[in-house]
Amino acid sequence: MEVSQDRLSIIALGGVNEIGKNMYVLQYSEDIIVIDCGSKFPDESLLGIDLIIPDISFLLENKEKVRGLVVTHGHEDHIGGIPYIIKQFNMPIYATRLTLGLVEGKLREHGLLSTTVLHEIDSESKLTLGAIPIRFFRTNHSIPDCLGVVFDTPQGTVVHTGDFKFDLTPVNDQYADIHKMASIGQQGVLALLSESTNSERPGFTPSERLVGVHIEETFTKATGKIFLSTFASNVHRLQQVIDAAEKTNRKIVLLGRSMVNVVDIASKLGYLKLPPEMIIEAQEVQRMAPHELVILCTGSQGEPMAALARLANDTHRQVEVSPGDTVILAATPIPGNERNVARIVDNLFEKRAKVIYGSGSVTGMHVSGHASQEELKLMLTLMKPKYFIPIHGEYRMLYQHRLLAEAVGVEVDHIFIVNNGEVVDFVNAEARQVRKVPNGNTLVDGLGIGDIGNVVLRDRKVLSEDGVLILVITLSRSDGSIISGPDIISRGFVYVKESEPLIEDVHRIALTTLTQLQEMKSNQWSVYKQAIKESIGKFLFTQTKRRPMILPIIIQV
Amino acid sequence: MEVSQDRLSIIALGGVNEIGKNMYVLQYSEDIIVIDCGSKFPDESLLGIDLIIPDISFLLENKEKVRGLVVTHGHEDHIGGIPYIIKQFNMPIYATRLTLGLVEGKLREHGLLSTTVLHEIDSESKLTLGAIPIRFFRTNHSIPDCLGVVFDTPQGTVVHTGDFKFDLTPVNDQYADIHKMASIGQQGVLALLSESTNSERPGFTPSERLVGVHIEETFTKATGKIFLSTFASNVHRLQQVIDAAEKTNRKIVLLGRSMVNVVDIASKLGYLKLPPEMIIEAQEVQRMAPHELVILCTGSQGEPMAALARLANDTHRQVEVSPGDTVILAATPIPGNERNVARIVDNLFEKRAKVIYGSGSVTGMHVSGHASQEELKLMLTLMKPKYFIPIHGEYRMLYQHRLLAEAVGVEVDHIFIVNNGEVVDFVNAEARQVRKVPNGNTLVDGLGIGDIGNVVLRDRKVLSEDGVLILVITLSRSDGSIISGPDIISRGFVYVKESEPLIEDVHRIALTTLTQLQEMKSNQWSVYKQAIKESIGKFLFTQTKRRPMILPIIIQV
């Protein structure tokens, strides 16, 4: 068999050994294509950081080869990095209509819309970027208009699934292209990149329709107002809420910026069938009977500033939760959000509301958008790949996905669990993993992209735990004598007014240390500062078991 | 019916509308009895705080009436506050043998053992503290030797369940006193205080024996080393691990300070049947075959410094996890700990270990120690209380427990969901809730108990997110001219070396602001400081969207 001599390379720049900031790169010869450009939220160790995006040094080093960005769908972990990356490096973007609608909003917010080239595609589109022909197939997920991507390179066909599940009874007839997937597999797949989010879950993820059944049941029984909170981007769930509201003669109120925004985009683009007369404004709630209302709101993950939290805290200006109202949390709390969600449920119960909360598998009010083990095996079976690279998941998820691939017959040494930056190269349709490209987390803090490093984060950590103690000392330039100070300022350590004896001791020790140094005739300020840090640090730890940051400032006049 | 004229009061000082820091108070006439004295861990908003304990102002104000502290069992949320409270206010402590053993350890650590009076009791003990006769009954829980407490006051009988479940096939024959409970209920209970931890869970919590079955099954199949991590205080589970190890001819290695400590106390006091020849030291692991070993270790909640995390990170000096070893996490991650646990599982899979992890209801390796709904209803049915106060749980748990009480026939207006500090008074065996006593969180930070307030915490929050920028300016005392500065020091904000233009701008703006103020001939330093804070704060927010703490320091010489 004759294959091209040129090398094909697959690289994850984000999304493996983590959940979030997905970015994958395919390079064949002199052409580079980027797939997805996500962001992720920092964990609690990254103090003050707003967002994490992929490090794109590799793309910047290869600017002239990059042919474009293909986006599989409109979730934040696939599009959230776009404005920050486009600021560093502009490239044309290819995505379906709804995805583009969401991307446009982001670009507009950052003043980048007019300078970025956007191409609308659909699952039937065929592109050639550089020398690489690209096809697509439609998948099911918790947002409409999701794509799997097929790259027909001269080395062989590479398939990237995007996020998916198999929903055989989808809402709005958005069927997955299962026959197309079968035919792609039949033609031969060199390498499959498939998502691993739910690879730890046995079985088959239930259809979104199941949620619709439970929503309708609850709407039929409810007597007061109904509040339902879910991810705004889950357009199919919004559709089911709208349908149930229509059947039970309730009007819909939208609360929360992203809810209003997504409903607006999705209706305009035809993804949501919403009769305009069904929507009423928040200020009209007062004049409606409770049983005529459904309030669709953001904040299902307990976000403290979102609509649901404001309703629970009685800080929403126009709408309130009353005894006998039904509140549905149509979402399973993501690890890390449980406490915030629990606070909201507590507050709603205090208002004597009927609250439907907890895991979707118990309430029936939420199903996952990701493939469980049997679906992952189905995708692997359809695609019959020679090589398999599990993506989109933490290590144990990639590992479990590997076990699934082995179970359906992929050869053990044809499965590559890679780290971000590790390259899988294909030469003569044989894969090797030997090299690495630059990669990492770029931290976004306010307007800064990548300007926060470890030193700043380490300082924030110390400051957050024990605060800071500042000593300002003014010395004479002529004879080194103390002109004023030490003046002591403390923040986040102890409340100085209540700790006078402690602060007096600090003053005394600083003076003693200074005097000793002056007797040694040292005039190296770094020595002074180090000595004060050590003597005061030691004293404070003995007295309080705390280690504030100690900042001696020496001024010479 | 003749009842005493004196008032009976029940007060929660900690443990309602929260999980943790349990402390309940019963007062009859001039006698006060305290039940439990727990601690809880701070959430992420309480930066740098080590521990939270109850505010005991009420006890300090009524010192001469307090007759003693009765402890229901040895978990941290029931005993963790003891050394900190005893430092403020010493009182005699009553508890069972194992509980006392754990309390003694804490008192010894804080140098309080010799000055505290300890009384060993058991479920058959009868005490009279002040004028109040007290009886006990044995309950099942995830630590041995747990008590429910019965106060036979002249107003009527008050029952406090402590933590409990009904384990009808308990390990080591530690049966609950179900007949005694029935007889207490038969004699008449004025008020029941019952724990609510699992009141959201339908059904009946499985027996601890179930875990034993799964442990033995896994031990029988395993070929390499076995690591099992669980709460050290779950002595019955440790017993089942020991039994399974004995059956499969494995020796036991103990890793982690609390594991060594609890096994030591529990064996000495007879709660754990552990043949001494079964225990080997960590350094002996090297010379044993893998199939001869069970490593029992701490860290099942992902605690970063505990044995399991060190094994997963390869930083344990004596023992390592090898391919084919089995690692059992015999615990369900508590909300907030999932990420740390997940990191450990990732690392263990990277070592090619077989890892059994996740919810106990899936793995069978963990069961809760708390009563589910059917058990809570059983307790309510046995006790037949006139009044019911659900305790030990967040609001939604107390609320669900209330619904259960209603379902078994407690009158709706005889159920009191209280906040910490709210008092339920009984006069002529009728309850009212109208008054409140001081209550709250006392924060422990290092050696400080209660010395950290809101100002300090607010400062830590600001410092943690955006750091601090300090400007030191030296002015002439005679004419107000600038002698030196502004010197600018930044920590946790931006790395100054990489942000020179920004810092130069800050310098310039501070000088401009100063000059303007000097022209106005102001010599109020607070005005100067405020003006600098505002101008610099505004500038930095525009430039960076960050809000560091700005500390202008003006020195006059």
Side-chain angles (χ1 to χ4, degrees):
Chain A
M1 190 178 76
E2 193 190 345
V3 289
S4 154
Q5 297 310 306
D6 282 339
R7 187 172 66 176
L8 166 69
S9 307
I10 295 172
I11 313 163
L13 289 181
V16 290
N17 294 312
E18 65 182 335
I19 292 282
K21 80 171 184 37
N22 287 284
M23 177 177 263
Y24 305 91
V25 169
L26 182 135
Q27 174 165 20
Y28 177 75
S29 189
E30 296 297 297
D31 297 315
I32 288 176
I33 298 163
V34 184
I35 307 142
D36 290 337
C37 180
S39 59
K40 75 171 180 180
F41 288 111
D43 65 25
E44 54 280 3
S45 70
L46 294 172
L47 292 166
I49 298 300
D50 300 321
L51 214 60
I52 302 170
I53 56 170
D55 177 338
I56 57 161
S57 309
F58 173 75
L59 300 181
L60 295 173
E61 284 164 16
N62 292 279
K63 265 187 181 172
E64 72 298 344
K65 296 181 187 157
V66 178
R67 305 295 164 232
L69 167 65
V70 177
V71 183
T72 59
H73 65 285
H75 278 152
E76 288 299 312
D77 54 338
H78 295 257
I79 69 169
I82 290 180
Y84 305 98
I85 302 287
I86 290 290
K87 254 176 222 166
Q88 302 171 67
F89 171 44
N90 206 312
M91 53 189 160
I93 300 176
Y94 300 82
T96 56
R97 197 141 40 109
L98 180 63
T99 309
L100 271 194
L102 296 165
V103 169
E104 276 171 15
K106 289 185 177 293
L107 292 172
R108 192 175 297 118
E109 232 172 77
H110 287 79
L112 297 164
L113 186 55
S114 60
T115 52
T116 310
V117 179
L118 303 176
H119 296 279
E120 187 184 314
I121 54 175
D122 63 30
S123 61
E124 297 309 307
S125 299
K126 283 178 202 303
L127 305 176
T128 303
L129 297 186
I132 307 172
I134 306 180
R135 295 177 284 158
F136 304 93
F137 55 92
R138 187 193 278 166
T139 60
N140 303 120
H141 188 42
S142 45
I143 186 171
D145 236 9
C146 297
L147 295 178
V149 192
V150 185
F151 302 90
D152 293 309
T153 82
Q155 281 279 345
T157 293
V158 176
V159 176
H160 182 295
T161 62
D163 285 3
F164 74 98
K165 66 190 278 192
F166 284 101
D167 192 334
L168 303 172
T169 51
V171 174
N172 286 352
D173 295 334
Q174 296 285 304
Y175 290 95
D177 287 330
I178 197 160
H179 298 97
K180 200 192 256 185
M181 295 181 212
S183 115
I184 292 163
Q186 203 57 42
Q187 290 155 31
V189 170
L190 174 66
L192 172 69
L193 285 71
S194 180
E195 72 120 329
S196 312
T197 316
N198 271 357
S199 65
E200 295 170 288
R201 285 202 206 168
F204 206 100
T205 304
S207 169
E208 178 65 30
R209 288 263 184 209
L210 188 74
V211 177
V213 171
H214 286 104
I215 288 175
E216 197 182 315
E217 233 175 66
T218 306
F219 277 30
T220 308
K221 282 186 212 155
T223 50
K225 295 197 287 298
I226 296 172
F227 295 80
L228 188 143
S229 181
T230 193
F231 284 116
S233 61
N234 197 329
V235 175
H236 292 143
R237 189 161 307 158
L238 304 187
Q239 184 68 63
Q240 298 194 108
V241 172
I242 293 164
D243 294 349
E246 205 168 8
K247 279 193 196 164
T248 54
N249 295 312
R250 289 175 182 259
K251 302 284 185 196
I252 289 176
V253 183
L254 303 172
L255 296 186
R257 203 175 77 114
S258 67
M259 191 59 80
V260 173
N261 183 33
V262 170
V263 168
D264 182 48
I265 294 177
S267 333
K268 274 191 194 138
L269 300 181
Y271 293 94
L272 201 59
K273 290 168 205 147
L274 174 56
E277 68 276 9
M278 279 194 67
I279 292 284
I280 65 164
E281 296 296 322
Q283 52 267 33
E284 296 178 72
V285 165
Q286 301 293 349
R287 59 170 191 77
M288 306 280 289
H291 69 269
E292 297 172 330
L293 287 166
V294 172
I295 294 98
L296 196 48
C297 59
T298 55
S300 59
Q301 289 297 324
E303 301 89 331
M305 303 305 292
L308 186 65
R310 284 184 290 136
L311 290 164
N313 298 335
D314 265 337
T315 54
H316 198 280
R317 280 168 305 147
Q318 291 139 331
V319 187
E320 64 172 17
V321 179
S322 313
D325 285 351
T326 301
V327 185
I328 305 169
L329 278 76
T332 300
I334 293 169
N337 295 343
E338 291 95 343
R339 284 186 194 173
N340 284 341
V341 172
R343 275 311 73 65
I344 285 174
V345 174
D346 285 342
N347 291 339
L348 292 170
F349 273 134
E350 288 204 53
K351 297 181 178 308
R352 302 283 170 269
K354 294 167 63 177
V355 190
I356 301 175
Y357 66 104
S359 162
S361 61
V362 175
T363 63
M365 290 297 183
H366 177 72
V367 297
S368 173
H370 297 277
S372 298
Q373 290 179 350
E374 295 308 315
E375 293 156 278
L376 295 172
K377 281 153 71 180
L378 178 54
M379 179 63 84
L380 282 155
T381 301
L382 288 166
M383 291 296 171
K384 299 191 293 182
K386 181 172 174 188
Y387 291 98
F388 175 54
I389 304 173
I391 57 170
H392 202 299
E394 300 184 359
Y395 186 84
R396 65 196 179 285
M397 303 168 189
L398 306 177
Y399 185 86
Q400 298 280 12
H401 205 173
R402 183 234 289 266
L403 298 181
L404 298 173
E406 287 179 22
V408 301
V410 182
E411 280 180 45
V412 178
D413 56 357
H414 283 192
I415 303 173
F416 290 86
I417 296 188
V418 294
N419 288 311
N420 288 326
E422 287 175 359
V423 184
V424 181
D425 287 314
F426 295 85
V427 176
N428 294 327
E430 297 290 331
R432 293 187 309 170
Q433 187 217 312
V434 287
R435 59 191 186 98
K436 229 179 143 144
V437 302
N439 72 93
N441 287 332
T442 295
L443 307 181
V444 179
D445 181 5
L447 293 182
I449 303 174
D451 68 334
I452 297 289
N454 286 335
V455 175
V456 171
L457 285 173
R458 214 160 41 227
D459 285 346
R460 285 183 186 173
K461 176 88 177 142
V462 173
L463 290 168
S464 76
E465 288 180 351
D466 290 319
V468 59
L469 189 90
I470 304 163
L471 298 100
V472 185
I473 302 145
T474 315
L475 298 180
S476 158
R477 199 181 296 274
S478 54
D479 63 359
S481 63
I482 299 169
I483 295 177
S484 90
D487 291 299
I488 296 168
I489 296 116
S490 142
R491 288 291 185 280
F493 167 51
V494 290
Y495 196 48
V496 175
K497 281 185 191 159
E498 290 172 2
S499 310
E500 277 174 18
L502 187 76
I503 298 299
E504 276 165 26
D505 282 343
V506 168
H507 195 269
R508 191 178 42 74
I509 291 168
L511 274 183
T512 312
T513 310
L514 270 174
T515 314
Q516 282 167 356
L517 287 163
Q518 284 173 322
E519 279 165 9
M520 291 161 62
K521 302 282 178 211
S522 170
N523 54 4
Q524 280 199 289
W525 299 143
S526 61
V527 175
Y528 273 65
K529 287 180 183 175
Q530 194 52 39
I532 289 173
K533 268 191 203 178
E534 278 172 18
S535 59
I536 303 292
K538 211 167 142 185
F539 168 72
L540 289 178
F541 187 71
T542 318
Q543 293 292 308
T544 66
K545 287 274 180 290
R546 298 176 203 167
R547 298 188 188 283
M549 178 182 285
I550 295 164
L551 279 182
I553 301 173
I554 296 174
I555 309 282
Q556 262 192 310
V557 295
Chain B
M1 188 176 78
E2 193 191 344
V3 289
S4 156
Q5 297 310 308
D6 283 339
R7 187 170 68 176
L8 166 69
S9 307
I10 295 173
I11 312 163
L13 289 182
V16 290
N17 294 309
E18 66 182 336
I19 292 282
K21 80 172 186 33
N22 286 285
M23 179 177 260
Y24 305 91
V25 169
L26 182 135
Q27 175 165 19
Y28 176 76
S29 189
E30 297 298 296
D31 297 315
I32 289 177
I33 297 163
V34 184
I35 307 143
D36 290 338
C37 181
S39 59
K40 76 171 179 180
F41 287 111
D43 66 22
E44 53 281 3
S45 71
L46 295 173
L47 293 164
I49 298 300
D50 300 322
L51 213 60
I52 302 171
I53 57 170
D55 177 337
I56 56 161
S57 309
F58 174 75
L59 299 181
L60 295 174
E61 284 164 17
N62 293 281
K63 264 186 182 174
E64 72 296 347
K65 296 182 188 158
V66 178
R67 306 294 165 233
L69 167 65
V70 177
V71 182
T72 59
H73 64 285
H75 279 152
E76 289 299 313
D77 54 339
H78 296 257
I79 68 169
I82 289 180
Y84 304 98
I85 301 287
I86 289 291
K87 255 176 221 165
Q88 300 171 68
F89 171 44
N90 206 315
M91 52 189 159
I93 301 176
Y94 299 82
T96 56
R97 196 143 40 111
L98 180 63
T99 309
L100 271 194
L102 296 165
V103 169
E104 276 171 14
K106 287 184 178 294
L107 292 171
R108 192 175 296 119
E109 231 173 76
H110 287 79
L112 297 165
L113 186 55
S114 59
T115 51
T116 311
V117 179
L118 303 176
H119 296 279
E120 188 183 314
I121 54 174
D122 63 32
S123 60
E124 298 309 308
S125 299
K126 283 179 204 301
L127 305 176
T128 303
L129 297 187
I132 307 173
I134 306 179
R135 296 175 285 159
F136 304 92
F137 55 92
R138 187 192 278 168
T139 60
N140 303 119
H141 188 42
S142 45
I143 186 170
D145 236 7
C146 295
L147 294 178
V149 191
V150 184
F151 303 89
D152 292 311
T153 83
Q155 281 279 344
T157 295
V158 176
V159 176
H160 182 296
T161 62
D163 285 2
F164 75 97
K165 65 189 279 191
F166 285 100
D167 192 335
L168 303 174
T169 51
V171 175
N172 286 352
D173 297 331
Q174 297 286 303
Y175 289 95
D177 287 330
I178 197 161
H179 298 96
K180 201 192 258 186
M181 294 180 213
S183 115
I184 293 163
Q186 203 57 42
Q187 290 154 31
V189 171
L190 174 66
L192 172 68
L193 284 70
S194 180
E195 72 122 329
S196 313
T197 316
N198 271 357
S199 65
E200 295 170 288
R201 286 202 204 169
F204 205 101
T205 304
S207 169
E208 178 65 32
R209 288 262 183 209
L210 189 75
V211 177
V213 171
H214 286 104
I215 289 174
E216 195 182 318
E217 232 175 67
T218 307
F219 278 31
T220 308
K221 285 187 209 154
T223 50
K225 295 197 286 296
I226 296 171
F227 296 81
L228 189 142
S229 182
T230 194
F231 284 117
S233 61
N234 197 327
V235 173
H236 293 143
R237 189 161 306 157
L238 305 187
Q239 184 68 63
Q240 298 194 108
V241 172
I242 293 164
D243 294 348
E246 202 167 11
K247 278 193 195 164
T248 54
N249 294 311
R250 290 175 181 259
K251 301 285 185 194
I252 289 176
V253 182
L254 303 173
L255 295 187
R257 202 175 79 116
S258 68
M259 191 60 80
V260 173
N261 183 34
V262 170
V263 169
D264 182 47
I265 293 177
S267 334
K268 274 192 195 140
L269 301 182
Y271 293 93
L272 201 59
K273 291 169 204 146
L274 174 56
E277 67 277 10
M278 280 193 68
I279 292 284
I280 65 166
E281 296 295 323
Q283 54 266 34
E284 297 178 73
V285 165
Q286 301 294 349
R287 59 169 190 77
M288 305 282 287
H291 70 268
E292 296 172 334
L293 287 166
V294 172
I295 294 98
L296 196 47
C297 59
T298 54
S300 59
Q301 289 297 324
E303 301 91 330
M305 303 306 293
L308 186 64
R310 285 185 288 136
L311 289 164
N313 298 334
D314 265 338
T315 54
H316 199 281
R317 279 168 306 145
Q318 289 140 332
V319 186
E320 63 173 16
V321 179
S322 312
D325 285 351
T326 301
V327 185
I328 305 169
L329 278 76
T332 300
I334 293 168
N337 295 343
E338 292 95 341
R339 285 186 193 172
N340 284 341
V341 172
R343 276 311 74 66
I344 286 174
V345 175
D346 285 342
N347 291 338
L348 292 169
F349 273 134
E350 286 205 54
K351 298 182 178 308
R352 303 280 170 271
K354 296 166 64 177
V355 191
I356 300 174
Y357 67 104
S359 161
S361 63
V362 175
T363 63
M365 291 298 184
H366 176 72
V367 296
S368 172
H370 297 277
S372 298
Q373 290 179 350
E374 296 308 316
E375 292 156 278
L376 295 172
K377 281 154 70 181
L378 178 54
M379 179 63 85
L380 282 154
T381 302
L382 287 167
M383 292 297 171
K384 300 191 292 181
K386 180 172 177 190
Y387 290 98
F388 175 53
I389 304 173
I391 56 170
H392 201 299
E394 299 183 1
Y395 186 85
R396 64 195 181 286
M397 303 167 189
L398 306 178
Y399 186 85
Q400 297 280 13
H401 204 174
R402 182 233 290 266
L403 297 181
L404 297 174
E406 287 178 23
V408 300
V410 181
E411 279 180 46
V412 178
D413 56 357
H414 283 191
I415 304 173
F416 291 86
I417 296 188
V418 294
N419 288 310
N420 288 326
E422 287 176 0
V423 184
V424 181
D425 287 314
F426 295 84
V427 176
N428 295 327
E430 297 291 330
R432 295 186 309 170
Q433 187 216 312
V434 286
R435 57 190 188 99
K436 232 180 136 137
V437 303
N439 73 92
N441 288 331
T442 295
L443 307 180
V444 179
D445 182 6
L447 293 183
I449 303 175
D451 67 337
I452 296 290
N454 286 334
V455 175
V456 171
L457 285 173
R458 213 158 45 225
D459 285 347
R460 286 183 186 174
K461 177 88 175 140
V462 173
L463 291 168
S464 77
E465 287 179 352
D466 289 320
V468 59
L469 189 89
I470 304 162
L471 298 99
V472 185
I473 302 145
T474 315
L475 297 180
S476 158
R477 198 180 294 273
S478 55
D479 63 358
S481 64
I482 299 169
I483 295 177
S484 91
D487 290 298
I488 297 168
I489 297 115
S490 144
R491 288 290 186 280
F493 168 49
V494 290
Y495 196 47
V496 176
K497 281 186 189 157
E498 289 170 2
S499 310
E500 278 174 18
L502 187 77
I503 298 299
E504 275 165 26
D505 283 343
V506 169
H507 195 270
R508 190 178 42 72
I509 291 167
L511 273 183
T512 312
T513 310
L514 270 175
T515 312
Q516 283 167 354
L517 286 163
Q518 284 173 323
E519 280 164 8
M520 291 162 60
K521 302 280 178 213
S522 169
N523 55 5
Q524 280 200 288
W525 299 144
S526 61
V527 175
Y528 273 65
K529 287 181 184 176
Q530 194 53 37
I532 290 172
K533 267 190 201 178
E534 278 171 20
S535 59
I536 303 292
K538 211 166 142 185
F539 169 74
L540 290 178
F541 186 71
T542 319
Q543 293 293 306
T544 66
K545 289 272 180 290
R546 298 176 203 168
R547 299 190 188 279
M549 178 183 284
I550 295 166
L551 279 183
I553 302 174
I554 296 174
I555 308 283
Q556 260 191 310
V557 295

